[in-house]
Amino acid sequence: MVDPNGENPETSSGIGKFTNMKKLIIIVLVLVTIGSISYYNRIELLFAGVHFMMTQGEIAPNHDIPWSKPESSAQRDDRPNIVLILADDLGWNDLTFNGGGVAGGVVPTPNIDSIAADGVMFTNGYAASGTCAPSRAALMTGKYPTRFGFEFTPTPGPMLPVLNAVGKATSNSPLPSVTYFDDYEDDEKPAYAEMGLPSAEITIAERLKEAGYYTAHIGKWHLGRTNGMSAIDQGFDDSLLMASGFYLEPDDPNVVNSQQMFDPIDRFQWAAYQHAASFNDSERFKPAGYLTDYWTDEAIKVIENNRDRPFFLYLAHWAVHTPLQALKSDYDALAGIEDHKLRVYSAMVRSLDRSVGRVLDALKANGLDENTIVIFTSDNGGAGYIGIPDVNEPFRGWKITYFEGGIHVPYLMKWPRQIPAGTIFENPVHHFDIPVSALAAAGIEADPDLDGVNLLPHVKGDSREPPHQALFWRGGHYQVVISDGWKMQRTDRPDKTWLFNLAQDPTEQQNIAAGNTAQVALMSQLLDIHNANQSEPAWPALVEFPIRIDKTVDLPFEEGDEYIYWPN
């Protein structure tokens, strides 16, 4: 049959069906192709989302900082100034003070080393945690951070889920992350800015300010931004805050970058960060140059402005934390280092040492060096996720562990008027001893409830007793105690106990737990007693990441690799 238009209806219908089928197939193929491309590029798409989410908001142009200045009639008294310089993720082997040094010692650190030469080197100085924020809480309060629930490091909202997703998609390790994202209600998971140092805690800055000191914070804070937790609400007259994490914009001609594509943390940072600062919680603005040098420029202004009154300067550097970004001038000065990543990292160490030298020079130029206490330390040890294997030598472990590589840090102090040059102190000391010692130097009696002790009598030989009978660390189920030369670590994941005799084995090579059950029982009892006097975490751990003790992140997992799980 032929229709009025001369077409065969059956043939026409068949052609129509074929055409529709062809369109459907094309649509399906397009969707499959899009899906395949999306799946193949899912990590890049995920980080693109992170970039969009984390880089909103205006950043104003740079402007001069209106630092507070004393009245013209101000008169200096005889109390010492206090300068606390905190490095970030600095490895034990990054400095040359102990015969080592980054890149095989080809990058000297004479300015940092001079603090030890002109004062005291604490050979067994310990960070309060294997990660940054709890250590900072201890440095500000003189307490174990677990005393007030600061057990885990605050992270921006999307960070932990993104790291977990990327790790699952890219890792060849048989050790999966453990997550608890769905175990808590939203009101049990505070926002990033709400996780921090409770306003009820009294900081060293508050005590010094009450006693007439001018107090200034420069750099990283990481102790909360709301509810009375920002630096200017915790005792600092002025705070120049690191408001994001780039040292310079990555396309700045004065910077050399090194990205670690094997590391989810590094990839998150490159997606999320900007180059920004904030003064006294005001709007964000562009820092005037490379962060390490910019913080130093402003620290020198603080010193010069306050030469006629006692001051406390907390210079909390970002260096040498990732992202790895070096000034081109520092990078160019290290042409003998062939490996690009190591050269960038070494240049960052170089800039940190230059900063310390400039601060020391400013104190001397203003006639303040003899009666200023200068303290230098790091918030934790060097990170394994940068892929540089010797940052913590000779110690095992990294940041994000309680092995010595994670918590045994440079710990140096000078006060020419009181501390003899070249002093070596070998008994274990802790971050929380720093604020107590500083308060004592300023003539302020510390609260007897604090965990820290005044180190000055010990350093000067007035006390022969060790400062501490035992020291403790806790991050969820991963817990550690050092007492009388012994160190025990215990975890639930893996279900394992390590025991080391640090007097005989300071680098934790031989686990002797199996043959020393009585000592393990004694150490376990000490931990249990300590835990009974700590608070519950103020916010929950949402993930546990596996961390290998002896390998950097870029190396493949092998049977027999020792590891811990780090809750955060």
Side-chain angles (χ1 to χ4, degrees):
M1 176 180 176
V2 179
D3 72 5
N5 297 317
E7 295 180 352
N8 187 325
E10 295 180 3
T11 304
S12 177
S13 174
I15 292 173
K17 291 179 179 179
F18 176 77
T19 302
N20 290 336
M21 181 62 70
K22 186 176 180 181
K23 288 180 180 178
L24 179 61
I25 291 173
I26 291 172
I27 291 171
V28 170
L29 288 174
V30 168
L31 291 174
V32 169
T33 301
I34 292 172
S36 297
I37 293 172
S38 299
Y39 180 80
Y40 182 77
N41 294 288
R42 65 195 185 281
I43 302 303
E44 285 69 23
L45 291 171
L46 182 61
F47 283 122
V50 168
H51 178 74
F52 177 80
M53 182 186 305
M54 299 290 290
T55 57
Q56 301 299 305
E58 294 295 323
I59 300 176
N62 178 258
H63 59 73
D64 289 340
I65 303 301
W67 293 107
S68 302
K69 296 182 180 180
E71 302 271 340
S72 58
S73 59
Q75 294 294 317
R76 166 162 289 284
D77 55 36
D78 200 42
R79 292 178 296 175
N81 306 303
I82 302 159
V83 177
L84 171 57
I85 305 175
L86 184 64
D88 200 316
D89 292 1
L90 189 70
W92 177 264
N93 195 43
D94 286 339
L95 305 178
T96 50
F97 73 92
N98 202 35
V102 67
V106 302
V107 184
T109 52
N111 297 302
I112 298 173
D113 298 352
S114 75
I115 300 174
D118 295 340
V120 56
M121 177 172 70
F122 297 91
T123 57
N124 290 293
Y126 284 96
S129 177
T131 56
C132 48
S135 288
R136 295 164 195 273
L139 283 165
M140 288 297 102
T141 63
K143 295 180 180 181
Y144 284 108
T146 46
R147 283 271 302 279
F148 43 87
F150 206 128
E151 192 153 346
F152 308 118
T153 290
T155 56
M159 186 173 183
L160 292 178
V162 168
L163 296 185
N164 181 62
V166 174
K168 285 183 176 180
T170 61
S171 175
N172 294 319
S173 171
L175 304 174
S177 298
V178 179
T179 62
Y180 307 101
F181 299 127
D182 299 326
D183 292 5
Y184 300 96
E185 299 297 328
D186 289 343
D187 60 357
E188 297 178 282
K189 298 181 287 186
Y192 174 60
E194 298 171 352
M195 292 185 281
L197 179 62
S199 59
E201 294 301 321
I202 306 300
T203 69
I204 176 179
E206 290 175 284
R207 295 298 309 278
L208 290 170
K209 184 176 180 177
E210 290 170 356
Y213 273 70
Y214 167 72
T215 56
H217 157 258
I218 297 177
K220 186 173 176 178
W221 179 240
H222 209 172
L223 295 175
R225 297 289 299 279
T226 62
N227 302 327
M229 295 186 293
S230 70
I232 59 172
D233 292 326
Q234 295 277 29
F236 286 96
D237 291 299
D238 290 317
S239 170
L240 178 56
L241 175 74
M242 185 184 82
S244 194
F246 278 145
Y247 292 83
L248 276 174
E249 289 293 349
D251 58 356
D252 190 296
N254 296 307
V255 76
V256 179
N257 306 306
S258 175
Q259 298 187 36
Q260 318 320 314
M261 298 302 289
F262 56 80
D263 174 39
I265 294 176
D266 196 67
R267 296 182 70 177
F268 182 91
Q269 292 169 338
W270 287 99
Y273 283 164
Q274 297 172 288
H275 187 226
S278 172
F279 183 69
N280 288 350
D281 295 345
S282 62
E283 66 175 2
R284 298 190 304 165
F285 63 89
K286 285 285 183 187
Y290 185 73
L291 274 190
T292 307
D293 288 332
Y294 175 61
W295 299 146
T296 309
D297 294 341
E298 297 302 324
I300 291 171
K301 293 177 185 177
V302 168
I303 292 169
E304 292 173 345
N305 287 345
N306 296 282
R307 63 169 67 92
D308 293 324
R309 62 175 172 177
F311 62 84
F312 169 46
L313 170 60
Y314 174 36
L315 176 53
H317 272 300
W318 185 221
V320 291
H321 197 293
T322 53
L324 299 188
Q325 292 185 288
L327 266 184
K328 188 175 185 301
S329 56
D330 287 322
Y331 184 85
D332 290 344
L334 302 176
I337 301 175
E338 295 182 1
D339 181 81
H340 173 69
K341 173 176 60 182
L342 180 58
R343 186 172 169 185
V344 171
Y345 184 78
S346 300
M348 295 171 73
V349 173
R350 187 175 191 261
S351 71
L352 177 64
D353 186 71
R354 177 174 62 250
S355 168
V356 172
R358 292 181 62 206
V359 169
L360 296 177
D361 288 346
L363 291 170
K364 187 171 184 179
N366 286 276
L368 304 174
D369 55 320
E370 286 295 311
N371 196 30
T372 296
I373 302 172
V374 179
I375 305 158
F376 179 90
T377 188
S378 180
D379 60 350
N380 44 251
Y385 54 75
I386 61 175
I388 299 177
D390 59 354
V391 289
N392 295 319
E393 284 190 352
F395 301 124
R396 297 177 68 196
W398 322 96
K399 170 188 180 179
I400 325 183
T401 77
Y402 292 135
F403 277 78
E404 294 290 285
I407 56 175
H408 196 141
V409 293
Y411 196 123
L412 316 173
M413 181 188 299
K414 63 175 284 190
W415 185 12
R417 185 173 287 189
Q418 292 286 335
I419 299 175
T423 301
I424 304 294
F425 192 82
E426 296 182 345
N427 284 317
V429 296
H430 189 282
H431 271 162
F432 54 42
D433 297 324
I434 289 174
V436 178
S437 303
L439 290 175
I444 301 170
E445 186 175 351
D447 187 329
D449 185 49
L450 300 185
D451 297 304
V453 302
N454 177 14
L455 296 176
L456 295 173
H458 299 274
V459 169
K460 294 191 290 184
D462 298 333
S463 174
R464 298 295 180 182
E465 295 297 316
H468 302 284
Q469 296 301 314
L471 293 171
F472 302 90
W473 292 261
R474 189 179 82 184
H477 61 77
Y478 184 20
Q479 302 172 5
V480 177
V481 56
I482 291 177
S483 179
D484 197 26
W486 294 89
K487 179 178 179 181
M488 188 188 79
Q489 306 189 56
R490 69 184 186 190
T491 73
D492 291 345
R493 190 177 295 101
D495 183 7
K496 187 169 182 175
T497 298
W498 290 267
L499 180 70
F500 302 102
N501 184 334
L502 294 180
Q504 300 174 6
D505 181 19
T507 60
E508 300 172 294
Q509 300 299 316
Q510 300 295 324
N511 181 7
I512 55 176
N516 292 272
T517 54
Q519 187 65 38
V520 168
L522 175 61
M523 304 289 273
S524 296
Q525 184 180 28
L526 290 175
L527 263 176
D528 292 340
I529 294 171
H530 172 76
N531 285 334
N533 292 295
Q534 307 306 296
S535 296
E536 290 296 313
W539 54 87
L542 298 179
V543 67
E544 294 185 26
F545 290 114
I547 307 294
R548 287 173 295 160
I549 306 306
D550 300 304
K551 286 185 175 178
T552 52
V553 169
D554 54 317
L555 297 178
F557 180 88
E558 294 179 314
E559 190 68 31
D561 284 350
E562 284 196 277
Y563 63 92
I564 57 92
Y565 269 80
W566 183 269
N568 200 67

